[in-house]
Amino acid sequence: MAEMLPLENRRHRAGKTLSLIIPMHNETPVLDALFSRIDNAVSPLGLDLEIICVDDGSRDDTLANLERRALADPRVRILSLSRNFGKEAALTAGLDAAAGDMVVPLDADLQDPPELIGEFLTLWEQGYEVVYGVRADRSSDTTGKRLSANAFYTVFNFLSDRPIPASTGDFRLMDRVVVEALKQLPERNRFMKGLFAWVGFRQVGVPYARPERAAGETSWRYHKLWRFALDGVTAFSTMPLRVWTGIGLFAAGLALVYALFIIARVLLIGRDIPGYASLMVVLLFGTAAQLIALGVLGEYVGRMYEEVKARPIYMIQKKIGFPPATDGR
Ligand code: UDP
Ligand code: MG
């Protein structure tokens, strides 16, 4: 999958720092397994490590548990958000705080196996700026989630002029230049997968089998996924807005033909009283189409409102374990 890049692009890991960014929302049950897997898989890689845990307004023990770990382990850093802002915002907070030469966002539930980071690193050393995981085997997802994910990628990539590789998530290794590029994107609507693809750079995928959540339960619900999908599409395409011009022109054309037909008929045959059915069809279809068009407009206007307000993407309540030098936000 990975073509060889010219040798002058090579980098070396010696003396480099890796930042892991782990968004967490009610993840107490997985924390033991998470930290021991990180220790086993990432510590031997020969890098300095910082483990940035972003507590996204958890209502369980997550924060207290993390604080205990931070006392014992100087690599553990905690960003505690003031409430639940959602995974995308939590990731953004982590990216802003990360000091590493490379950064890897990781799900807390071990669905992004830390063991893969070694492979990511090898490709980074060959010169890639982004090495992303591709879910080769999604059998751990429910059929519904798989189908809806496939439908989403198809629609998204049809509409967007910046396609995202199918079956990728946030799990990836990014060079510092990519992180700096991401930090320049000011939008509130953080559809990270789309932003990751938008910034460009040399990217390569590594297939892996996505395991099931190690413990605890998912924070996603279907209505949230629907909003997420709309966020993605509206952030990367204006086609849903523009398509109505075409639909309108087409309908107007049809209406004109039909009008000519009616006029001709009245002139030739005379007045024709029945017409209830055709009237109703035109009326119902016409108003429904207008409502949909209005709704689509609303989706964009609502998001523009969010952007114009320009509120911060997240609020930090507490920062623990960060060295003073990188604390200057
Ligand atoms: N997450 C978060 N804030 C949220 C929802 C989820 O930080 O509002 C984190 C969660 O703790 C996990 C990651 O995002 O580390 C992925 O979430 P989850 O496993 O629940 O989603 P799924 O894998 O089912 O898509
Ligand atoms: Mg998960």
Side-chain angles (χ1 to χ4, degrees), residues 27 107 109 111 210 213 218 220:
E27 297 288 9
D107 278 6
D109 58 6
Q111 287 195 286
R210 188 160 164 89
R213 176 174 253 289
T218 173
W220 291 97

Side-chain angles (χ1 to χ4, degrees), residues 108-120:
D109 58 6
L110 290 167
Q111 287 195 286
D112 302 332
E115 291 74 19
L116 217 62
I117 296 177
E119 217 171 309
F120 286 0

Side-chain angles (χ1 to χ4, degrees), residues 23-25 27 56 84 86-87 90 107-109 111 145 210 213 217-220 224:
M24 299 182 183
H25 181 239
E27 297 288 9
D56 186 17
N84 179 246
K87 180 183 177 186
D107 278 6
D109 58 6
Q111 287 195 286
K145 182 143 188 201
R210 188 160 164 89
R213 176 174 253 289
E217 51 187 87
T218 173
S219 300
W220 291 97
K224 254 173 129 180

Side-chain angles (χ1 to χ4, degrees), residues 22-31 54-63 65-66 83-84 108-109 213 215-221 224:
I22 317 181
M24 299 182 183
H25 181 239
N26 302 339
E27 297 288 9
T28 312
V30 297
L31 290 182
V54 187
D55 173 42
D56 186 17
S58 297
R59 273 158 302 163
D60 68 352
D61 252 3
T62 302
L63 182 58
N65 189 313
L66 289 174
R83 62 169 168 85
N84 179 246
D109 58 6
R213 176 174 253 289
E217 51 187 87
T218 173
S219 300
W220 291 97
R221 300 283 173 269
K224 254 173 129 180

